Amino acid sequence: MAAAALTREGGEDAFRRLFRFYRQRDASDLRGVVDFSAPGGQVFRSQLSISSVSDQDAYRAGLQPVSQWKAYGLSGYPGFIFIPNPFLPGCQRHWVKQCLKLYPEKPNVCNLHLHMAPEKTTDLWGQSKEQLRRKGSSKWEPRSLLEKLRWVTLGYHYNWDTKKYSANHHTPFPSDLAFLSEQVAAACGFRGFQAQAGILNYYHFDSSLGIHVDESELDHSRPLLSFSFGQSSIFLLGGLKREEAPTAMFMHSGDIMVMSGFSRLLYHAVPRVLPNPEGTALPSCLDQALSSDLPAGSVIEHSSDEDWQVCAKYLQSSRINMTIRQVLAEGQKFPEESGTNGKGQAPFEDSYHENSKAKRHKPNRV
């Protein structure tokens, strides 16, 4: 296959070659991409810690009972766990709404805060919802502020310049997202996981995420959790060196990835966002309504029809990814260092652009 042949070529490292292959808009050969909805080959079933999460706590987080989840591993990637959509009907909508309406607001930090006057970034949702609702299919229509979102940081705010977290750049981590993350981590055998930092990435069909390793957290013994919503993508998981060819896999709406142990510090990237494979504007799992009977203490909130219309319009050409990390081990503190201003570049590949024919933009330009 074309993708396999690329890994044997000389010159460019194997990861970069495959990244560029899948990045191409005309790369139609996707036969080598692992699909966890039809597992086989190097995919095997992974065991979960069912007793670590009560059904009630799973329901409160908007998840099915852990006994009903399917979890998979990949040969050659110990510590990697893939969980195809374990969310209860309608519950993905809550997290999409939070990522668009609540989490981008201060005191959290987003790319727009770094390049626009403070008064221009107040109530991004309110400034964008009418424009989004009216939006047609033309690529030439002005983008709303929400469509200019590229990243949001939560808790300990990642500094894109220094690639570090610091004690003096921290705001409260959202309690609902912390609860969700703690249940997923416990189900994967990591009881006591503390959600201390989050990076939310906002992708469009022309977006990519460059090749990198998540190593800035001081405690690598705790897993990295990744949640995806909206359109699908290809995710590349490589090795400890970029010379090792990565494995390509599909990520669909509601899917969760856990990178722990050996897989915690592997190179990875997102070369391409794809329309959901069902051929509809949105995946069917996002069409499902939320039950009116939420359990006591649920962190899930009902979305109004008006709010969901805005979210649905956004997701027709976009994907949202939340990655949650524990930065410090229990009792650990940051080393003493000079203060930083928290500003820095966005995480996207330097080939990120407005559309396939536009001139290239600097990564952090909106």
Side-chain angles (χ1 to χ4, degrees):
M1 291 189 296
L6 279 174
T7 66
R8 295 190 293 269
E9 291 182 2
E12 207 172 25
D13 67 70
F15 202 126
R16 170 61 62 180
R17 287 196 296 273
L18 271 180
F19 181 95
R20 288 202 307 112
F21 173 80
Y22 286 116
R23 175 74 179 142
Q24 297 170 13
R25 311 314 301 168
D26 58 351
S28 58
D29 184 358
L30 303 180
R31 290 173 294 170
V33 183
V34 173
D35 189 345
F36 288 95
S37 64
Q42 67 186 113
V43 177
F44 59 89
R45 286 296 293 265
S46 184
Q47 296 298 312
L48 294 169
S49 181
I50 295 174
S51 62
S52 295
V53 179
S54 69
D55 289 355
Q56 184 70 9
D57 280 345
Y59 290 141
R60 289 177 58 208
L63 299 165
Q64 301 173 29
V66 178
S67 59
Q68 297 180 21
W69 298 7
K70 293 180 179 178
Y72 300 98
L74 278 175
S75 297
Y77 296 96
F80 176 78
I81 303 172
F82 192 103
I83 305 168
N85 184 16
F87 289 93
L88 289 167
C91 289
Q92 288 187 54
R93 292 185 175 191
H94 169 84
W95 303 109
V96 172
K97 183 189 72 174
Q98 297 295 80
C99 287
L100 291 175
K101 187 175 183 178
L102 181 66
Y103 297 158
E105 296 297 328
K106 294 181 178 179
N108 303 327
V109 181
C110 75
N111 61 293
L112 299 179
H113 295 151
L114 305 185
H115 308 286
M116 299 176 68
E119 62 273 14
K120 295 284 185 72
T121 60
T122 301
D123 190 16
L124 299 176
W125 175 268
Q127 293 190 61
S128 303
K129 61 182 182 180
E130 288 304 323
Q131 187 178 350
L132 265 174
R133 190 182 292 114
R134 294 192 310 266
K135 198 171 184 67
S137 57
S138 172
K139 294 181 179 179
W140 307 114
E141 291 184 62
R143 292 182 304 154
S144 66
L145 286 178
L146 280 179
E147 291 171 296
K148 295 180 181 180
L149 260 185
R150 296 179 58 191
W151 54 262
V152 169
T153 55
L154 310 170
Y156 286 114
H157 298 284
Y158 186 69
N159 184 308
W160 304 107
D161 284 338
T162 65
K163 303 188 185 309
K164 292 181 179 180
Y165 301 93
S166 64
N168 62 2
H169 196 201
H170 174 267
T171 57
F173 194 93
S175 59
D176 57 347
L177 185 51
F179 186 76
L180 169 69
S181 303
E182 288 157 9
Q183 307 319 304
V184 171
C188 294
F190 295 94
R191 299 186 74 166
F193 174 84
Q194 298 176 49
Q196 297 175 334
I199 298 178
L200 316 182
N201 286 331
Y202 299 79
Y203 299 83
H204 307 297
F205 282 135
D206 55 6
S207 302
S208 63
L209 178 67
I211 305 166
H212 68 286
V213 176
D214 290 294
E215 58 185 358
S216 300
E217 296 73 28
L218 275 63
D219 180 15
H220 295 154
S221 69
R222 311 305 275 172
L224 175 74
L225 310 180
S226 172
F227 302 85
S228 290
F229 305 106
Q231 300 299 324
S232 300
S233 70
I234 294 175
F235 179 79
L236 298 179
L237 181 61
L240 295 170
K241 298 180 179 179
R242 287 175 51 144
E243 288 72 23
E244 299 177 51
T247 296
M249 62 196 80
F250 290 114
M251 289 194 71
H252 303 304
S253 192
D255 290 349
I256 300 174
M257 288 192 315
V258 178
M259 296 171 67
S260 68
F262 172 80
S263 293
R264 177 63 178 77
L265 295 174
L266 299 182
Y267 280 99
H268 54 278
V270 177
R272 190 171 168 191
V273 177
L274 301 166
N276 98 81
E278 298 169 276
T280 52
L282 289 180
S284 57
C285 60
L286 290 171
D287 289 335
Q288 298 169 307
L290 183 64
S291 169
S292 59
D293 188 22
L294 294 173
S298 175
V299 301
I300 302 297
E301 300 174 347
H302 284 278
S303 298
S304 68
D305 290 341
E306 178 186 10
D307 280 358
W308 179 244
Q309 287 174 10
V310 177
C311 292
K313 193 73 172 181
Y314 176 90
L315 288 182
Q316 285 180 11
S317 59
S318 304
R319 167 182 178 257
I320 298 172
N321 178 254
M322 312 187 299
T323 57
I324 314 303
R325 308 109 189 281
Q326 178 169 334
V327 177
L328 301 167
E330 188 73 32
Q332 189 176 20
K333 294 183 179 180
F334 289 101
E336 292 293 330
E337 60 181 32
S338 59
T340 57
N341 62 7
K343 294 186 178 182
Q345 292 184 339
F348 287 91
E349 179 70 7
D350 58 6
S351 59
Y352 180 87
H353 45 73
E354 302 304 315
N355 59 59
S356 58
K357 296 181 180 179
K359 293 182 179 179
R360 292 185 177 184
H361 291 251
K362 292 182 179 180
N364 60 349
R365 186 172 296 170
V366 299

